């Protein structure tokens, strides 16, 4: 680990700062996104964190993913939070006593321990596991890392492609705005409009103790989040028994599922199999993604509302993430690359990618996923641009990412119009993906 910290380079200060964030946020078994705002283990956070941790310690990156998989349910789902029992319930809401996973979730296969949430997050885990393996293949093979995680990740994908194919079109659906990871995106305003919010006296927000109200989702949105989670819990988190008031096919979620299917295929080949089943699924998912979610006129993908029917008109960064799919038709990849670099999604002052259309009616440069630029989606856009041969644009985005990550103190997200840091500082995935861009700018995806 010390070799990375001591390696002389022009980016040494940035590298040391990013490494320090990950060391400070390590709990002994996993990495918290933030010591204050997010004191537990989050699902897609840990995947991105592992991608960066592998440059410090491949062994620790493996442990990051394995600790998350310890909370996997018997039905295959990987919950979006694995709770740290050492933290008091009032450290974060919704807390373990809200989700009641070990009791309410038992019919769906929730473990007796650890306590978890009942919903999921984007399936970037298999991609992360493959990249962690590549960081030190000999150590990975010696520990049997891929042999252990491959069947669990395959079960996770099986869950998404069966129980979560709510629209019958072959794509996975999300059933809560927290599941696509872009909680209060304007893309969800329409689908949430018919959800009756839980009463404000039925819960207490903990996020406002550590974050500015202007940065966070509104009380109205939060009340709707609580209502959806409460209704899901009432059915034992059974996707077939729940009458979902919110059900959406999200482009980012499904694009990461495709990338991870390709990673599972690479793992299978490494373990002595053919990987053909996962390659076939990745190809089929890519075709369905284009058929169901591509908007030719807009030059991006849109989410599909399965309750009201039809594509959602809002343009969010979720519609750009499919650039990470290597099998995307060339003409669509070219249109997406143009959209990333165009006036709707390239912030001139920072060069970063906002979470929502800069010219959109709901754009807010400070409030969470309603406009701020996030570093994980910038990393995904960078990977996608490289994947499809847009190297000059990828290099521009990489430089912008590294400049703003360092200048903001590894902020959770930034105002795309000014670069001012928002949300938590010393945020783990910002630091982790900084390390990745510093270390392996030319590493291909599977």
């Amino acid at each position: 680990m010390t070799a990375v910290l001591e390696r002389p380079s022009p980016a040494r200060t940035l590298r040391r700062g990013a490494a320090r964030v990950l060391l400070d946020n390590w709990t002994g078994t996993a990495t918290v996104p933030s010591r204050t705002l997010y004191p537990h283990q989050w699902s897609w956070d840990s995947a991105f964190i592992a991608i960066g941790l592998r440059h410090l310690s491949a062994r620790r990156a493996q442990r990051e993913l394995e600790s998350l998989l310890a909370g996997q349910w018997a039905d295959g789902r990987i919950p979006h939070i694995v709770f740290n029992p050492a933290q008091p319930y009032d450290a974060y809401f919704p807390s373990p006593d809200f989700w009641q996973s070990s009791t309410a979730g038992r019919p769906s296969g929730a473990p007796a321990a650890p306590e978890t949430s009942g919903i999921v997050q984007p399936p970037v885990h298999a991609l992360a596991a493959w990249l962690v393996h590549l960081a030190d293949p000999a150590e990975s093979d010696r520990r049997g890392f891929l042999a252990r995680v491959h069947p669990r990740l395959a079960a996770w994908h099986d869950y998404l492609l069966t129980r979560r194919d709510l629209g019958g079109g072959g794509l996975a659906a999300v059933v809560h705005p927290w599941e696509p990871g872009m909680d209060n995106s304007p893309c969800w305003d329409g689908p949430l409009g018919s959800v009756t919010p839980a009463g404000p006296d039925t819960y207490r927000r903990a996020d406002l103790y550590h974050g500015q109200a202007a940065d966070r989702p509104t009380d109205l949105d939060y009340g709707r989040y609580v209502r959806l989670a409460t209704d899901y819990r009432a059915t034992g988190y059974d996707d077939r028994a729940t009458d979902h008031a919110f059900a959406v096919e999200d482009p980012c979620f499904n694009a990461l599922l495709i990338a991870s299917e390709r990673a599972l295929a690479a793992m299978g080949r490494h373990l002595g199999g053919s990987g053909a089943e996962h390659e076939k699924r990745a190809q089929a998912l890519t075709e369905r993604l284009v058929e169901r979610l591509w908007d030719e006129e807009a030059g991006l993908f849109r989410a599909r509302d399965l309750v009201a029917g039809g594509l959602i008109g809002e343009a969010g960064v979720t519609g750009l993430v499919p650039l990470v799919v290597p099998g995307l038709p060339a003409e669509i990849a070219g249109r997406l690359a143009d959209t990333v670099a165009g006036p709707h999604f390239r912030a001139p002052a920072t060069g970063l990618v906002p979470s929502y259309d800069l010219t959109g009616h709901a754009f807010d440069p400070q409030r969470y996923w309603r406009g701020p630029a996030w570093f994980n989606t910038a990393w995904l856009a960078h990977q996608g641009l490289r994947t499809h041969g847009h190297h000059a644009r990828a290099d521009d985005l990489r430089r912008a990412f590294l400049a703003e990550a360092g200048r903001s103190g590894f902020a959770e997200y930034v105002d795309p119009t000014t670069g001012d840091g928002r949300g938590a500082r010393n945020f783990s995935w910002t630091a982790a993906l900084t390390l990745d861009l510093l270390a392996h700018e030319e590493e291909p995806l599977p």
Side-chain angles (χ1 to χ4, degrees), residues 402-419:
L402 296 176
E404 298 303 328
R407 192 165 70 88
S408 68
F410 304 102
E412 185 178 0
Y413 48 92
V414 299
D415 181 326
T417 63
T418 65

Side-chain angles (χ1 to χ4, degrees), residues 77-432:
R77 84 182 75 191
I78 297 176
H80 97 296
I81 302 175
V82 176
F83 288 104
N84 180 354
Q87 288 287 336
Y89 281 176
D90 62 1
Y92 181 81
F93 178 84
S95 50
D97 58 331
F98 173 87
W99 294 104
Q100 303 170 22
S101 65
S102 62
T103 53
R106 190 172 299 168
S108 295
E115 293 287 345
T116 75
S117 65
I119 60 175
V120 302
Q121 277 188 325
V124 67
H125 313 88
L127 174 60
W130 178 244
L131 294 177
V132 167
H133 165 78
L134 293 179
D136 190 343
E139 170 70 359
S140 174
D141 289 342
R142 186 188 68 78
R143 295 192 67 240
F145 172 64
L146 290 185
R148 288 197 307 278
V149 302
H150 183 276
R152 306 195 73 165
L153 294 169
W156 163 224
H157 290 195
D158 288 345
Y159 164 78
L160 293 174
L161 291 170
T162 55
R163 293 176 182 268
R164 286 301 188 91
D165 182 10
L166 301 179
L171 295 179
V174 294
V175 300
H176 193 289
W178 288 335
E179 291 199 320
M182 304 177 188
D183 307 22
N184 67 330
S185 168
C187 296
W188 320 140
D189 289 355
L192 279 174
S194 61
V195 176
T196 302
D201 58 335
T202 63
Y203 65 95
R204 182 184 61 82
R205 295 180 64 172
D207 60 318
L208 298 182
Y209 289 101
H210 302 291
Q212 298 294 322
D215 292 354
R216 303 293 298 166
T218 64
D219 286 341
L220 176 60
D221 282 340
Y222 226 88
R224 288 168 169 159
Y225 304 156
V226 172
R227 170 68 65 190
L228 289 169
T230 301
D231 291 349
Y232 197 25
R233 183 187 66 198
T235 66
Y237 302 106
D238 185 336
D239 294 295
R240 294 167 178 165
T242 304
D243 183 14
H244 295 289
F246 180 99
V248 170
E249 291 175 348
D250 174 57
C252 172
F253 196 99
N254 282 281
L256 293 177
L257 179 57
I258 294 167
S260 283
E261 277 290 310
R262 293 176 64 92
L264 279 180
M267 288 184 211
R269 291 191 294 268
H270 182 80
L271 293 169
S274 70
E277 176 188 357
H278 294 293
E279 289 285 5
K280 183 177 179 180
R281 293 210 307 198
Q283 181 178 352
L285 280 164
T286 302
E287 293 171 358
R288 292 163 188 159
L289 182 74
V290 171
E291 290 168 2
R292 292 181 65 80
L293 305 185
W294 174 244
D295 184 335
E296 174 66 24
E297 182 178 354
L300 50 66
F301 287 85
R302 296 195 186 275
R304 179 176 291 275
D305 185 345
L306 296 176
V307 177
L311 296 179
I312 296 169
E314 304 291 353
V317 70
T318 182
L320 307 180
V321 173
L323 259 178
V324 302
V325 177
L328 206 62
E331 62 276 12
I332 290 179
R335 290 290 308 284
L336 278 176
D338 289 342
T339 303
V340 170
H344 297 282
F345 282 99
R346 187 180 186 277
T350 61
L352 293 177
V353 183
S355 50
Y356 178 71
D357 183 351
L358 287 163
T359 68
H361 70 98
F363 176 74
D364 183 334
Q366 299 181 9
R367 194 178 292 277
Y368 217 42
W369 287 95
R370 301 185 75 82
W374 288 72
F375 291 95
N376 66 324
T377 50
W379 183 87
L380 289 168
H382 170 267
Q383 296 295 115
L385 289 168
R386 273 183 34 219
T387 294
H388 293 283
H390 300 277
H391 296 292
R393 289 174 176 174
D395 289 344
D396 287 344
L397 184 52
R398 176 178 179 270
R399 284 190 291 269
F401 181 114
L402 296 176
E404 298 303 328
R407 192 165 70 88
S408 68
F410 304 102
E412 185 178 0
Y413 48 92
V414 299
D415 181 326
T417 63
T418 65
D420 291 342
R422 312 299 301 186
R425 302 303 190 273
N426 298 316
F427 197 70
S428 289
W429 78 24
T430 305

